[in-house]
Amino acid sequence: MLISHTRPGRIVVLFALLLCVGCNDAAPKPPVLDTGAGPDASEERASVYLLFDPQDCFTCEAEMARWVAHRREYPSRVFIVLTRRPSASERQAIAVRRIPIDGVSQDRRLRKAERGGRAFLFQGPELVREGRTADAELMTTIEQELGR
Amino acid sequence: MMGRAGGMMVLAIFAFVACGRGGGGERVYLSEVEELPPTDSVILAETEVDYIGSPAHITAGPEGTIFVSDAMNSVVHEFSRDGGFVRRFGQRGEGPGEFGTPVATGIAHDSLLVVSDWRESRASVFSLASGVFIRSAPLEGYAFSMRAARGDTMVIGVTNPNLSTSLAKWSTDVGQVDYFGPLPTEYSQSIALLHAHPYTTATLLGDTILFGFSGNPNLFLARMDGTVFDTIAIPAVRRRGVPNDIVQRFAKDLTETEIAGMVSSLVALHRLSDGRVAVVHQDVNFERGAMSAATFLSFLSPDLRRSCPDIPLQFGRDRRPVVTFDGDSLLTLETKLRDGERAENVLLSYDLSSTDCRWVPLS
């Protein structure tokens, strides 16, 4: 065990823990994907990430078609991302719907307990908006940004 | 359009027919085959833009084309019988001629495409000649099957939980939809069952409506006003059937997998040219978003007193197939994953002309 039993040592450990929690509360950055997919370094316009749990593929399919269409139109700016590696049956469910997956991100700051996809709009490294994919207003904002 | 696989199927069919007709060998009856072989197989020509995301229903049109409602992309695709893409109807939206979640499709008067929209709670009519949207009418409930009655009146299998009705009549030249027909008593005993397996499938036998439900084992015969005068129970020989204690089972908390795996769902009914009635059930397996299904074809004799039950069709391993009829053929649309990744939709045809069967008297 590396935890110090001296009083100054405990204070140092506590301070380090607080720092660590502070790190987790920092504004999310565009997720780093296991595939390396992401906006080109020269891309200055907004980028959009859709994150969803592979198990939600069946329930969010009506919304997914819009995302697939946006990704086709803006391949360097729209990314469809899973929050974890899918099981065999989940891979099957994704494949039959022809949903292209750009990668997996396990960044906890981008995950929410709620069911359904979550969208993140970034301007460079800065998070501008986030919300549920079912949020029509968010979707409108995202489509306006993509159209710029 | 048959490739090498299609050629193999022809060989398989010859072998099947040879077995069935004897020639010194033992006669093989339809109800005893391991799997009924399709007579044709066509891969639909989809593109990156015009692809079927989630097929909900298919219908054969008067010119031989196939209409596929796509619940994911909110359109209805039309394909030629050799698999070529023809056109699409509608687009995502809430306006006239647009779809939220298109489900059941039907043809009225040989000239109109009728589409039920679950999310928008309405049915819309398009001209087959021009592809143009004509009109829509409010349609409340779970609409699953549509059959043209006289002229352009549609009889729609639509379970309406609010009115406790199972059918609707819609004269497509006016906006009025009339709901009628009873629901099975089990649905009034279990609201969970009603919403888990709500679909009504209906067809017309002259002036009689034959209909049944995805969560009930029986078929019902009704007059055009919805008065039921007879009930038919096709024995479940190789499929799951519907458990007698289904209401008690639905009193407990069930997972999606348990709900889907509890029953054989009725999915299609059709009268053939020789008077037999073809009946299609599916045993669905649902696991983490992936839905596969075993499909079973049964026949009722023209007098509806005997059945030839549970002839297995090709297993829908990668997705639950959707089915329809075209004359004396059964058509199934199946999504298959090539190399486990690349999806393609295949239209299979089954010739239903053979009557070789060990017919079972119905009680």
Side-chain angles (χ1 to χ4, degrees):
Chain A
M1 296 291 281
L2 295 174
I3 296 174
S4 172
H5 293 284
T6 64
R7 190 166 181 240
R10 282 185 190 140
I11 291 170
V12 168
V13 169
L14 180 64
F15 188 64
L17 284 171
L18 284 172
L19 266 181
C20 185
V21 171
C23 285
N24 277 336
D25 285 343
K29 296 279 187 281
V32 177
L33 306 184
D34 59 343
T35 55
D40 295 337
S42 59
E43 183 62 76
E44 293 177 353
R45 291 171 297 178
S47 58
V48 182
Y49 290 78
L50 165 68
L51 265 77
F52 73 99
D53 186 291
Q55 200 174 348
D56 287 351
C57 182
F58 182 75
T59 51
C60 68
E61 69 177 21
E63 294 156 15
M64 189 60 76
R66 283 176 85 173
W67 285 93
V68 173
H70 288 324
R71 185 189 175 279
R72 191 168 52 238
E73 194 169 354
Y74 308 102
S76 64
R77 299 170 62 199
V78 176
F79 304 93
I80 301 177
V81 180
L82 299 177
T83 54
R84 60 176 171 80
R85 297 199 175 285
S87 68
S89 63
E90 288 164 347
R91 273 202 306 277
Q92 178 186 328
I94 291 166
V96 295
R97 293 171 175 84
R98 289 186 170 92
I99 299 169
I101 301 300
D102 290 296
V104 175
S105 170
Q106 294 177 339
D107 187 339
R108 289 184 179 178
R109 289 168 299 183
L110 298 174
R111 297 174 70 172
K112 301 285 177 186
E114 69 205 15
R115 200 165 181 191
R118 198 157 182 86
F120 297 84
L121 173 64
F122 289 95
Q123 189 72 50
E126 187 184 339
L127 179 66
V128 180
R129 285 279 308 267
E130 71 164 290
R132 302 181 66 150
T133 51
D135 180 344
E137 191 190 333
L138 173 63
M139 201 67 186
T140 304
T141 304
I142 285 172
E143 286 170 349
Q144 284 169 350
E145 285 296 328
L146 288 173
R148 284 185 184 177
Chain B
M1 296 290 282
M2 294 184 71
R4 196 169 166 186
M8 294 299 288
M9 281 175 197
V10 169
L11 281 176
I13 292 156
F14 277 131
F16 165 73
V17 171
C19 286
R21 297 296 176 192
E26 205 159 304
R27 187 169 177 163
V28 176
Y29 294 95
L30 278 173
S31 48
E32 292 162 4
V33 297
E34 281 189 20
E35 184 180 286
L36 186 68
T39 43
D40 199 5
S41 166
V42 171
I43 298 172
L44 300 187
E46 298 167 82
T47 67
E48 204 176 58
V49 177
D50 286 304
Y51 69 96
I52 302 167
S54 185
H57 199 257
I58 57 171
T59 289
E63 304 295 328
T65 58
I66 300 297
F67 298 90
V68 184
S69 57
D70 184 343
M72 180 170 159
N73 289 312
S74 301
V75 297
V76 174
H77 310 270
E78 183 180 5
F79 291 92
S80 62
R81 192 54 72 84
D82 64 2
F85 177 76
V86 177
R87 58 182 164 173
R88 82 175 91 100
F89 291 80
Q91 61 180 14
R92 182 185 310 282
E94 299 171 358
E98 297 178 329
F99 297 121
T101 305
V103 186
T105 51
I107 303 295
H109 215 44
D110 279 350
S111 61
L112 303 171
L113 172 68
V114 186
V115 185
S116 74
D117 187 332
W118 176 74
R119 186 175 288 201
E120 297 300 319
S121 297
R122 67 187 179 194
S124 298
V125 181
F126 296 83
S127 161
L128 285 180
S130 64
V132 170
F133 167 76
I134 298 173
R135 68 181 67 86
S136 66
L139 184 64
E140 189 184 335
Y142 300 101
F144 186 70
S145 74
M146 294 188 171
R147 287 282 166 170
R150 299 179 197 85
D152 55 5
T153 297
M154 302 296 297
V155 171
I156 304 171
V158 51
T159 300
N160 186 327
N162 294 331
L163 299 175
S164 293
T165 53
S166 52
L167 299 161
K169 257 185 280 192
W170 178 30
S171 180
T172 52
D173 56 353
V174 294
Q176 180 71 29
V177 176
D178 296 317
Y179 299 89
F180 66 108
L183 288 176
T185 51
E186 289 86 348
Y187 283 164
S188 59
Q189 295 166 349
S190 170
I191 195 80
L193 171 64
L194 172 60
H195 288 285
H197 293 291
Y199 300 109
T200 310
T201 298
T203 195
L204 295 165
L205 312 178
D207 284 340
T208 298
I209 303 170
L210 176 68
F211 66 110
F213 301 87
S214 55
N216 186 276
N218 297 320
L219 298 176
F220 302 91
L221 286 161
R223 298 188 181 87
M224 291 303 281
D225 64 1
T227 309
V228 172
F229 62 88
D230 206 355
T231 302
I232 298 169
I234 302 176
V237 179
R238 291 197 260 189
R239 64 192 151 91
R240 292 181 191 130
V242 177
N244 292 330
D245 61 344
I246 191 164
V247 171
Q248 288 73 33
R249 293 188 189 207
F250 268 87
K252 300 170 188 165
D253 283 337
L254 300 169
T255 64
E256 291 168 326
T257 302
E258 290 169 330
I259 289 170
M262 196 178 292
V263 301
S264 297
S265 291
L266 174 71
V267 294
L269 291 166
H270 176 69
R271 172 156 263 185
L272 303 171
S273 60
D274 64 4
R276 286 176 299 150
V277 175
V279 183
V280 181
H281 289 92
Q282 286 183 329
D283 287 359
V284 172
N285 297 309
F286 182 84
E287 186 188 351
R288 287 176 169 259
M291 191 180 278
S292 57
T295 304
F296 297 91
L297 168 69
S298 300
F299 293 106
L300 292 170
S301 60
D303 61 4
L304 306 178
R305 294 178 184 276
R306 295 176 302 151
S307 76
C308 172
D310 293 355
I311 306 157
L313 306 183
Q314 203 170 92
F315 182 67
R317 188 173 308 283
D318 296 321
R319 177 141 68 183
R320 181 183 73 86
V322 288
V323 306
T324 193
F325 294 92
D326 184 21
D328 286 348
S329 294
L330 170 67
L331 307 176
T332 70
L333 181 69
E334 305 196 11
T335 308
K336 295 176 185 288
L337 289 178
R338 185 169 284 187
D339 307 324
E341 288 182 2
R342 201 154 57 83
E344 56 187 27
N345 283 289
V346 183
L347 186 69
L348 300 175
S349 304
Y350 296 86
D351 177 13
L352 306 185
S353 58
S354 172
T355 57
D356 283 350
C357 194
R358 291 188 195 276
W359 290 87
V360 180
L362 294 169
S363 52

